[in-house]
Amino acid sequence: MDRRITEFIAALRAAGIRVSLAETADAMRAIEQAGITDRRLFELVMQTSLIKDAKDFTTFRELFPLYFGKEAPPPLQQPGGGQLSEQEHEQLMEHLAQMLAQMSPEQLAQLFRSMMTGQPLSAQEMGQLMDGIAPPHVSNPRYRDWMTRQALRELNFNQLNKALRELLDALRDEGMSEEALQAIEQAARENQAALAEQIGQQVAQQMAEQARGDGQAIPRQRSESELLDRPFDQLNERDADDMRKIVNRLAARLRTRLALRQRRGKTGTLDAKTTIRTNQRFGGVPMVVRHRKRHLKPKLVVLCDRSVSTERVMTFMLLMVYSLHDQLSRTRSFAFIDRLHDMSRYFNEARPETAIAQVMDEIRPTRSYSTDLGYALSEFVRDHLSCVDQRTTVILLGDGRNNENDPGLAAFAQICRRARRVVWFATEEQRKWGVYDPGSLSSDIYKYAPMCDAMLEVTNLRQLADAIDRLFVRA
Amino acid sequence: MLARVALRVVILNRKVALRMLNSITDVREILATQQYIASDEICTAMFLADKLGKPLLAEGPAGVGKTELAKSWALANGRELIRLQCYEGLDETKALYEWEYAKQLLYTQLLREKLSDLLGDSRTLREAADRLANEEDVFFSERFLLPRPLLRAITSDQPVVLLIDEIDRADAEFEAFLLEVLSDFQVSVPELGTLKAKHQPTVLLTSNNTRELSEALKRRCLYIHIDYPDLEAELRVIQLKVPGLSPKLARQAIEYVQRLRKMDLKKHPSVSETIDWARALLELNSRQIDKSTLDTTLNVLLKYESDIQRAKRALQGGERGDRPERPERGDRPDRPRNRYPGGEWNN
């Protein structure tokens, strides 16, 4: 049983769930306490001690039946359900022996004997049986039934029907009563189904083992620094997952740094009022000195160019900004293509990752789109200017390629006047700034540049992390 | 009369406390004595937390009875509940202990004579300082330690239930600080050394999932995700908590609430809000859930104006939530659409 559980845990790990050694030990202790007699209880116990994230429950529930499904092979029936007289039984056995002697191949004879006599196949016999046929070539548990059917076909399982008919005919010729024949047939049919089920379980197990093999083969971790320096536009889908992990790690690291900075930032000027109040209990002797807290938590307004070229960098930036939301006092985010879209509501309702997926899905460029930052800026000034105040940092993410539209410099200047800082995250390498590009024509980035407090090149994850970190430094 | 009732309650509690937990059903029963209806998951988790002596982390949306679980557990076992409400900026001095400066100061003032006796006949300053150093322990003893919830839970003479509420609101540093407490049930006070728990407390952490908790913390806990209950379970809760409400109306109300939860709202009604709503319906003597009832009582259930408007529209227009369903066609059974009808080719 222990072995089975460890195998199950290995499968969980292969499916991407983090299960530590300590948790394995916990699960074992928990099972000791709760016992394994009740299957439902057993499942709950394993779930409580192994799974620490609600989103992993589905994986757990998919895998669990594969390992602890119907552990014991289904019981087999006695020939004729035990209703046969001695004589009838002997007749049956005699004929069976004759038929088995002629039957080929040997596996089929084995199955037939087990089916008629009700003696289950031992694990070893079963193993040999399965070795004789090709292993399943798919490891996805969804195809279990299909692979089982294939295995049965390969074993010529249907031949058993024919053999059973022949046997019954022979017995009928001997003059056995119809009732006895019926009893024999029914028991044999049930046994046949049970054997099929058992073979199905074997197949499922083989598939699970293969899946585990596959799962171990995949993790081919690329080094973190390599991914950090890889330009966003050279990332493919497979990297995206790794990147997301790195983003989460980076965010955690940034958070600790920010928290430290905030703590040290406390030593501002003396707060006389609070100091007197806290020292009342010492008779007014200032034992504990209180300082005025600085409001270090910045407010952010993020404007993102949501076009195909900036999709990736936008995803990562939003992911990072929103995983730091506890370090920010307020974040509003907008996406623009040719018009402005408010993204904040997605983030208010869902976790960052889901929200980003929603944003990508619902705000998408139309077929004949052309980025128009100027118009988006004027819309922002018209509708949302109130969310910019002297504590707000405005981030603009984009390449500044405006398709010859009006750059909206007046609106931009108005935003700059109100905001504490305006930082531009440029998604192109610096050498391409302002250079004519046949695809999207001229670049207006240098027209905006003089008004921004900083222009940062953000073409890979490392630069992005640095840029976000700099937002929190007090200028 | 009242006293007798109180006494009986105490005896009852003692009885419960003495009973050993042997199976999941025992857990369900003792929680039921506190009118807490627990699902299989909750029972298993509490059973294991008790048997393995591990903290239990309960996650889930607000208002599904995570805090209530801790309260009921404490009451049912006749233990004291010590609650630590987490918030941003919570630190050790508020969670663990603080030195009681005022008392220390007072003691030095009052003991001044005694001190001068002690130090009076010392000849050199160094000798006096040494003598004073020998007595230092007096001022840094547990006498002057102001215990905060965590320390109280650890040093308590009776076994207690410690509830660390909304851990996701505390900072990441505090979470790291909790690790020592949760894995070994001990805390280190630099001046005193390490204090170990006399009785291992039952620890319950709750989280509303506003941020991801660290792996290290999760690893040390058992985990349970409590979600909104299904219709039947919620109905049982309402019948238990608001017994006066007619079964028909209760069912109607719960069906409505369950429908609201499927809608795209800013904030979904929680179980506790459902209970409040049921009480309101009872107080107002409502017969059925119609427009006028909703007009007056919906603000108990929903806390945003836009949600209220939307919920009203959903009820009146007969619109089913926000998901318009395909009109059913009774004339023929559903057949697969847009697919090759002769079975799948790939097998």
Side-chain angles (χ1 to χ4, degrees):
Chain A
M1 192 67 194
D2 283 2
R3 202 182 126 76
R4 198 84 179 135
I5 294 170
T6 19
E7 277 173 8
F8 175 59
I9 289 169
L12 284 180
R13 285 193 188 126
I17 300 176
R18 270 196 53 159
V19 181
S20 71
L21 207 57
E23 281 160 328
T24 311
D26 281 345
M28 294 292 188
R29 277 173 58 213
I31 290 162
E32 256 169 46
Q33 292 291 341
I36 51 171
T37 41
D38 182 348
R39 183 164 173 276
R40 165 91 180 129
L41 175 60
F42 176 61
E43 183 176 354
L44 284 177
V45 166
M46 295 280 274
Q47 182 186 309
T48 311
S49 46
L50 291 177
I51 305 297
K52 303 293 166 79
D53 205 327
K55 68 177 191 289
D56 294 337
F57 282 152
T58 37
T59 322
F60 178 85
R61 280 179 201 143
E62 265 170 27
L63 284 175
F64 187 82
L66 283 185
Y67 282 79
F68 308 100
K70 287 156 199 140
E71 171 81 350
L76 296 181
Q77 295 260 339
Q78 286 298 311
Q83 294 167 4
L84 298 181
S85 66
E86 198 113 329
Q87 195 201 347
E88 284 166 338
H89 194 254
E90 260 171 39
Q91 275 183 345
L92 173 65
M93 286 301 144
E94 201 179 307
H95 275 274
L96 183 61
Q98 280 177 16
M99 280 194 69
L100 285 175
Q102 297 165 10
M103 236 166 144
S104 72
E106 212 214 320
Q107 294 119 334
L108 199 64
Q110 249 179 11
L111 280 173
F112 193 56
R113 184 186 322 119
S114 171
M115 172 175 149
M116 295 313 299
T117 58
Q119 265 161 9
L121 293 174
S122 69
Q124 200 189 358
E125 282 171 331
M126 199 70 203
Q128 282 170 356
L129 201 68
M130 298 307 289
D131 282 345
I133 59 173
H137 57 268
V138 192
S139 59
N140 189 332
R142 258 198 307 171
Y143 297 117
R144 176 188 159 164
D145 288 345
W146 177 23
M147 295 323 312
T148 308
R149 273 203 301 274
Q150 208 168 44
L152 290 179
R153 199 153 47 228
E154 215 168 324
L155 284 168
N156 283 328
F157 208 69
N158 284 338
Q159 291 279 324
L160 292 177
N161 289 332
K162 209 175 119 206
L164 177 63
R165 263 201 310 278
E166 277 174 25
L167 183 64
L168 288 174
D169 283 343
L171 287 172
R172 189 173 289 124
D173 290 345
E174 291 265 307
M176 193 183 269
S177 69
E178 272 308 307
E179 283 153 36
L181 286 174
Q182 257 177 25
I184 291 175
E185 182 173 3
Q186 200 190 344
R189 292 269 177 223
E190 276 172 30
N191 286 351
Q192 191 184 7
L195 283 169
E197 172 73 36
Q198 201 184 348
I199 291 171
Q201 283 172 19
Q202 290 287 328
V203 170
Q205 192 184 342
Q206 282 183 341
M207 285 167 72
E209 271 157 22
Q210 270 183 16
R212 198 161 66 231
D214 292 351
Q216 274 162 357
I218 291 171
R220 182 187 44 86
Q221 290 280 330
R222 216 111 28 96
S223 71
E224 189 180 315
S225 64
E226 190 194 330
L227 279 175
L228 272 176
D229 286 330
R230 180 180 283 242
F232 283 118
D233 47 10
Q234 286 177 26
L235 290 172
N236 54 35
E237 278 309 311
R238 228 190 23 249
D239 298 323
D241 241 17
D242 289 346
M243 292 290 275
R244 222 157 287 142
K245 271 180 213 146
I246 294 182
V247 167
N248 284 336
R249 249 199 321 263
L250 276 179
R253 213 177 298 160
L254 276 180
R255 175 177 298 121
T256 9
R257 276 173 66 178
L258 297 178
L260 274 179
R261 218 175 267 159
Q262 212 143 10
R263 174 138 305 176
R264 293 190 187 133
K266 257 184 210 165
T267 50
T269 51
L270 181 77
D271 187 345
K273 237 193 243 167
T274 329
T275 307
I276 292 173
R277 196 163 56 232
T278 32
N279 288 299
Q280 286 286 312
R281 53 179 176 165
F282 308 127
V285 182
M287 304 271 290
V288 187
V289 180
R290 289 291 152 102
H291 296 99
R292 200 156 286 167
K293 264 192 196 165
R294 282 191 199 159
H295 294 287
L296 276 177
K297 288 194 173 180
K299 278 186 189 172
L300 281 190
V301 169
V302 184
L303 289 164
C304 288
D305 182 353
R306 192 260 181 269
S307 54
V308 182
S309 55
T310 53
E311 211 171 81
R312 283 252 159 67
V313 56
M314 173 177 156
T315 312
F316 290 123
M317 186 184 75
L318 288 174
L319 199 58
M320 216 175 298
V321 165
Y322 276 95
S323 39
L324 290 172
H325 75 105
D326 52 343
Q327 301 295 336
L328 299 164
S329 75
R330 174 168 299 170
T331 313
R332 289 292 298 271
S333 53
F334 301 89
F336 63 85
I337 304 166
D338 48 351
R339 304 199 41 209
L340 197 69
H341 303 267
D342 190 351
M343 297 192 283
S344 309
R345 64 190 179 90
Y346 297 103
F347 289 95
N348 289 340
E349 281 159 17
R351 287 182 161 245
E353 295 203 6
T354 358
I356 289 170
Q358 266 179 331
V359 165
M360 289 301 171
D361 207 38
E362 285 175 30
I363 306 175
R364 32 170 77 251
T366 46
R367 256 177 67 127
S368 59
Y369 79 96
S370 60
T371 308
D372 188 347
L373 174 57
Y375 186 69
L377 283 175
S378 66
E379 265 194 323
F380 180 80
V381 168
R382 193 185 67 211
D383 298 333
H384 302 288
L385 197 60
S386 59
C387 62
V388 178
D389 61 17
Q390 77 275 13
R391 270 175 57 201
T392 313
T393 302
V394 178
I395 303 176
L396 219 150
L397 177 90
D399 50 12
R401 296 196 180 271
N402 218 359
N403 300 300
E404 307 285 346
N405 291 312
D406 172 29
L409 291 176
F412 193 65
Q414 206 176 342
I415 297 171
C416 293
R417 268 201 305 279
R418 280 179 73 104
R420 188 163 75 97
R421 259 190 315 175
V422 176
V423 184
W424 190 294
F425 285 9
T427 56
E428 281 183 324
E429 290 92 339
Q430 193 159 7
R431 61 186 164 80
K432 289 192 195 158
W433 291 0
V435 176
Y436 180 87
D437 176 76
S440 46
L441 308 172
S442 65
S443 162
D444 291 330
I445 199 161
Y446 279 121
K447 292 189 188 149
Y448 296 110
M451 285 182 268
C452 297
D453 294 83
M455 278 220 135
L456 306 170
E457 178 190 312
V458 182
T459 55
N460 60 36
L461 208 50
R462 192 189 298 278
Q463 287 174 341
L464 180 64
D466 284 346
I468 290 181
D469 190 38
R470 280 173 65 171
L471 289 179
F472 295 92
V473 181
R474 261 179 86 78
Chain B
M1 182 62 201
L2 210 64
R4 199 186 289 169
V5 170
L7 197 70
R8 266 187 55 192
V9 169
V10 169
I11 291 172
L12 220 93
N13 276 346
R14 286 309 291 263
K15 254 191 204 159
V16 167
L18 290 178
R19 181 160 56 185
M20 277 294 287
L21 292 175
N22 287 323
S23 71
I24 309 292
T25 24
D26 287 356
V27 176
R28 194 193 307 276
E29 273 167 27
I30 70 161
L31 282 174
T33 58
Q34 300 305 319
Q35 303 202 324
Y36 190 91
I37 295 179
S39 67
D40 282 354
E41 274 97 348
I42 296 178
C43 293
T44 315
M46 287 314 296
F47 175 74
L48 288 180
D50 189 77
K51 284 285 174 194
L52 301 185
K54 294 202 79 146
L56 175 65
L57 169 65
E59 243 176 13
V64 289
K66 299 185 293 289
T67 310
E68 202 58 35
L69 175 63
K71 286 185 188 162
S72 309
W73 185 253
L75 271 176
N77 286 295
R79 293 183 182 174
E80 190 193 349
L81 176 75
I82 296 178
R83 180 172 176 172
L84 173 67
Q85 172 71 51
C86 295
Y87 51 87
E88 212 176 305
L90 176 71
D91 59 2
E92 304 171 36
T93 56
K94 296 200 183 89
L96 189 57
Y97 69 90
E98 197 166 14
W99 288 108
E100 214 169 342
Y101 304 111
K103 202 167 159 190
Q104 280 172 333
L105 219 69
L106 200 66
Y107 269 58
T108 23
Q109 291 285 325
L110 293 176
L111 297 178
R112 190 182 282 164
E113 274 176 34
K114 193 82 190 149
L115 280 176
S116 56
D117 280 359
L118 187 73
L119 304 175
D121 57 338
S122 56
R123 273 158 299 169
T124 60
L125 200 60
R126 178 183 293 275
E127 198 184 333
D130 283 346
R131 278 195 198 167
L132 193 60
N134 284 336
E135 307 296 326
E136 216 169 43
D137 292 352
V138 178
F139 291 102
F140 287 102
S141 63
E142 286 183 46
R143 192 197 306 270
F144 296 105
L145 212 55
L146 197 63
R148 301 288 190 195
L150 283 181
L151 191 65
R152 220 146 54 82
I154 280 183
T155 52
S156 161
D157 291 326
Q158 303 291 325
V160 294
V161 176
L162 172 65
L163 168 65
I164 302 177
D165 215 359
E166 303 189 356
I167 173 78
D168 50 336
R169 287 186 182 213
D171 307 322
E173 304 148 63
F174 182 72
E175 214 181 294
F177 160 76
L178 267 183
L179 295 180
E180 187 193 5
V181 180
L182 292 184
S183 55
D184 302 330
F185 294 100
Q186 63 177 34
V187 288
S188 313
V189 179
E191 293 88 345
L192 290 180
T194 307
L195 297 172
K196 236 182 140 39
K198 288 174 196 148
H199 299 276
Q200 206 161 318
T202 311
V203 184
L204 238 124
L205 297 100
T206 73
S207 155
N208 287 343
N209 224 344
T210 54
R211 72 177 170 87
E212 196 80 29
L213 298 175
S214 73
E215 287 284 339
L217 184 80
K218 284 185 166 179
R219 203 168 57 226
R220 283 167 175 78
C221 301
L222 298 170
Y223 177 84
I224 178 176
H225 188 265
I226 307 181
D227 215 331
Y228 293 122
D230 59 12
L231 195 131
E232 294 303 324
E234 195 165 17
L235 199 60
R236 278 213 307 275
V237 173
I238 292 293
Q239 276 165 355
L240 201 68
K241 298 269 178 185
V242 195
L245 201 66
S246 79
K248 187 166 155 268
L249 186 61
R251 180 168 281 271
Q252 252 184 21
I254 308 281
E255 272 168 4
Y256 185 65
V257 169
Q258 297 263 345
R259 237 171 75 197
L260 286 182
R261 289 205 187 114
K262 290 206 184 77
M263 284 173 58
D264 176 30
L265 298 178
K266 265 189 184 166
K267 183 191 166 304
H268 289 140
S270 66
V271 180
S272 49
E273 279 159 335
T274 314
I275 295 173
D276 289 344
W277 192 43
R279 289 213 176 103
L281 290 177
L282 186 65
E283 290 297 320
L284 293 171
N285 276 327
S286 306
R287 290 283 171 75
Q288 57 177 1
I289 294 171
D290 50 20
K291 186 172 177 303
S292 61
T293 333
L294 283 184
D295 275 341
T296 46
T297 60
L298 207 55
N299 51 355
V300 179
L301 211 52
L302 297 171
K303 305 292 160 73
Y304 287 96
E305 185 55 32
S306 59
D307 285 358
I308 294 180
Q309 295 304 335
R310 193 174 261 187
K312 276 184 192 159
R313 269 207 306 280
L315 187 86
Q316 285 160 18
E319 169 198 343
R320 305 179 52 150
D322 264 0
R323 286 162 211 172
E325 280 175 31
R326 209 153 21 98
E328 283 172 33
R329 301 180 58 160
D331 52 5
R332 59 180 162 188
D334 221 11
R335 64 182 171 81
R337 275 151 220 252
N338 307 332
R339 269 167 83 200
Y340 174 65
E344 286 171 41
W345 273 42
N346 58 354
N347 52 0

